[in-house]
Amino acid sequence: MSAQKDSWVSSLVFLLFCACCIPRSGSASLQQEPSPQHYFSGLEAGRASLAFFTPSVSPGAQPFLEQIESSAEALQDYGISVVKVNCPKEDVSRYCGKENALRKAFLFRGPRLIREFPTDALFDVNSIVANVLFALLFNEVKYVETLADLENIENVLKGKSNMVFAYVPATGTAEHRAVMEAAFVYGTIHQFVLTTEAALLKATSLDDPDVSSAWLLFCHCQQATEPGQPCRRTALAQPLTLLNIHRHLKLMGAPLVTEVAEDPEKISTVHLQLGLPLVFILSQKETYEADRRTAEFVAWQLLGKAGVALLSRDLVDLNVLHRSNVALKTPDEGMPIQYLVLEDTDEVITLVENKNKVKQIQEDEQEEEEDEDEKENNNQDIQDDQVVEAVSRDKKRELPLEQILVLTEENFHSSLSEAALTVVLFYASWEAVSLAVLRSYCEVATHLKGTPGVLLSRVNCWDWPGLCSQENVTQFPTMRIYKEGQQSVTYGGMWGTEELSSFILLSQVSCPLKLATMDEAEGYLRGEFPSELSSQHHTSLLGVFGTATSEAREAFEEAGNILSGHVRMGMYLEDDALALSQKYLVSPPALLLARSGGRSVEGIALSKHSVQDMVQMIRYQLLDIFPEITVPNLPQYLQLGKPFLILFSAGDINQVESKEMLKLAKGRPLQEFVACWLNLKKTPVGHGILRMYFSTTPSLPVLLWVNLHAGGQVFKFPSEQSITEMNILSWLEKLQAGLEIPSSTLSEEDWKPPLPAYDFLQMMEHSVPQLSPHPGDTPAQHPPKSPGGDTAGGDTATREEPSQESTAEGVASPGRGLRGTAPRMAARDKQGKRHSEL
């Protein structure tokens, strides 16, 4: 019943608005009164009237009387009569006195005077209607001058009702009239607030508004139930007219998200009736809560521009692709509903704001389907296509680049002396791998923010090829550590956030770190020194050297320079070095390895004194005895060139199997193979490895012998035998004797990357002379195409100025997905730069 009542009220309100905006002839006219006595005797209690007192013969009043007569038609709709009172010549009363003639008009409610207006404030119909209604609604429409006044009103309204806040450059204008007419109709539903203060408008807007234009904001205070919760604000995007305000308020009163369970072709909402599109978020029972949150998020972004509905696939039989997740229904008659596949909510918003986007998305989807078979067979660019795809998929993510100093030819060398340790990322803004690494680099900057003595910076080699050539940077990305008075160190590990952060923190400390006392050396082995590395869980290596071991000491120091950032190394060469080494049953020169925070220290004699042998030996000793193989550490074990005895498990291996495998690994005197294990839950790529070895995935756990470096044969430990040291050794003897048949043999395919690394300077050889040396200039040639097929999108129009960005603190929050999983919020603050803007 209430819904039917609301419908009738809405219809009556709309009819009233239409009546206000349709010109009428003869429907109302200026009332004539022969005398003031006659006028005052006829006033009715509660009825408003606007009176103009004038002598019977007054040619100067004619222009004003024409405007007053025109306004009579509009004011009559609001129950206000307009009266011209003829003053006798002999009347010298308050209203007819000579000083008032042609100068003032008077607004009465019944016999009570509400306000008197100077006639120069009532210069046309708009000013008359606006000022009269403003006076009558003085107690209903709040006028504010300061932000504090506005916030006080919002606080009173929170949890109770909504507010309509309007700014007009001046009173008496057409926009002022539109606001007051809307307040006359909607004043009992919403609280209307008015201001003419430009400073207040700027204080309530995130952008720099045009103070010469009128603005209207709908403030959703009714939904702000907590005192500290701000009222959401939705601006009127159209000009401030009566019909546009009515339309806006009608949209604000519609449900935020409409849930539908019928054919969308039959759905009609207030948005479609008012000429706006309707967006359907396709949902299903399993992901209802996530899809509901996504729909609400989209609805807030599109409020006033489009409606949003949640359409359940479980209740409606849709003859569309199952992967379609969004539908668009336009108000155009006869236009079919468009079903689309979108990646995030930004695309939904763009879809509504850009009508050409629908056609573009459909064409892209058609091209993807046509090229699908071709892409499956194209193996040349697999590596780079995957990176390009990942960057393209993430291109709308905001990057907090303001934390990273931008280096140019002018400030490069001077900036290197600003901190004890300067990290420089050399990258190419058009190249996919660089952009993927830049994302990790930004996360490192956030993680290391505030670390004393560490400065993170970057050089875009597309803008500064001369600088990159000078630093001998030819491949991208390249990261280097610069420390004053020392040779720069180039990073050569994985590009993950954790690996980069560890490398930078380890690089803070000298490698090897020279220790002066026995207490310092033993504290170092316990993990108590230095304090900069307290959070780094690395195995500590301590080289112990006597006075007669200069060759081994020099090789150890050079090995430290090579391994700087990757290894935690110390060096002790004092007089009591012999006593320290003998404590661990070795003699100088020796290497002490402290694992697990110093709980176990192993002494190793240094028999080979060449730098290459020292580096190789240190890397080998740092490897775990029975490691868990993961994607980051696999290359370290592949470099050993040994067969793998690998246990595949569906989770953590049990203690019995772990103990037996550890005994086996420790018992081999020459480390003939790498005994290891792989957890398929932590490293799902193991499923693909097993499918490559076998036609079907075997039951787990399964123990395999794989020799990738000689023949590629894969042998499977008998599943009927328990995994014990004795059983495995017996099985390995049969393998060496050639008594076991391999389960499969891997192809002799080379495992190198399918494409060589980028030599940027060689690619730029012919175009560099035509480039302007400054990033503000436009290059003469377009950048080369990336291997994924994209042109050099790091373009010239969006190059950074040669200074560090100083925007406000960036907010990095992921984009909201539309794939039926938990929603991801898209960043809305525009402080950072996107991949496509670099």
Side-chain angles (χ1 to χ4, degrees), residues 229-344:
Q229 183 180 358
C231 300
R232 287 178 180 262
R233 295 168 180 171
T234 305
L236 172 64
Q238 291 79 32
L240 213 62
T241 66
L242 186 57
L243 279 179
N244 284 341
I245 295 176
H246 164 70
R247 183 173 179 268
H248 191 63
L249 297 182
K250 194 171 181 66
L251 291 171
M252 297 302 102
L256 183 65
V257 175
T258 304
E259 295 197 26
V260 296
E262 58 179 312
D263 187 351
E265 293 285 358
K266 301 177 182 178
I267 299 297
S268 178
T269 66
V270 64
H271 304 87
L272 294 170
Q273 296 165 9
L274 293 178
L276 296 179
L278 181 63
V279 175
F280 294 91
I281 303 296
L282 306 189
S283 178
Q284 51 193 354
K285 182 172 60 176
E286 294 82 2
T287 60
Y288 170 79
E289 292 299 331
D291 296 332
R292 174 78 189 185
R293 292 195 298 270
T294 299
E296 290 176 352
F297 177 81
V298 172
W300 278 115
Q301 303 304 309
L302 295 178
L303 196 58
K305 302 175 184 178
V308 176
L310 193 62
L311 178 61
S312 174
R313 286 181 175 272
D314 302 312
L315 301 177
V316 182
D317 185 17
L318 298 176
N319 186 22
V320 297
L321 292 175
H322 182 71
R323 62 195 184 106
S324 298
N325 52 15
V326 172
L328 180 68
K329 184 176 183 179
T330 62
D332 302 326
E333 188 175 352
M335 290 295 294
I337 294 179
Q338 307 291 335
Y339 292 90
L340 307 165
V341 181
L342 301 183
E343 292 292 338
D344 55 40

Side-chain angles (χ1 to χ4, degrees), residues 585-606:
L585 307 179
V586 288
S587 298
L591 185 67
L592 303 181
L593 271 75
R595 304 181 189 271
S596 305
R599 288 193 293 271
S600 65
V601 178
E602 178 185 357
I604 303 170
L606 293 176

Side-chain angles (χ1 to χ4, degrees), residues 89-136:
K89 292 182 179 181
E90 64 277 6
D91 192 340
V92 292
S93 64
R94 174 184 179 185
Y95 300 108
C96 286
K98 184 177 181 181
E99 67 277 6
N100 289 327
L102 300 177
R103 293 182 183 178
K104 292 183 179 180
F106 302 88
L107 178 64
F108 295 89
R109 178 176 279 134
R112 184 168 65 92
L113 177 64
I114 301 296
R115 182 166 299 178
E116 57 185 55
F117 302 100
T119 54
D120 57 359
L122 308 179
F123 47 85
D124 62 7
V125 175
N126 289 327
S127 63
I128 294 171
V129 175
N131 283 299
V132 167
L133 291 179
F134 193 20
L136 288 175

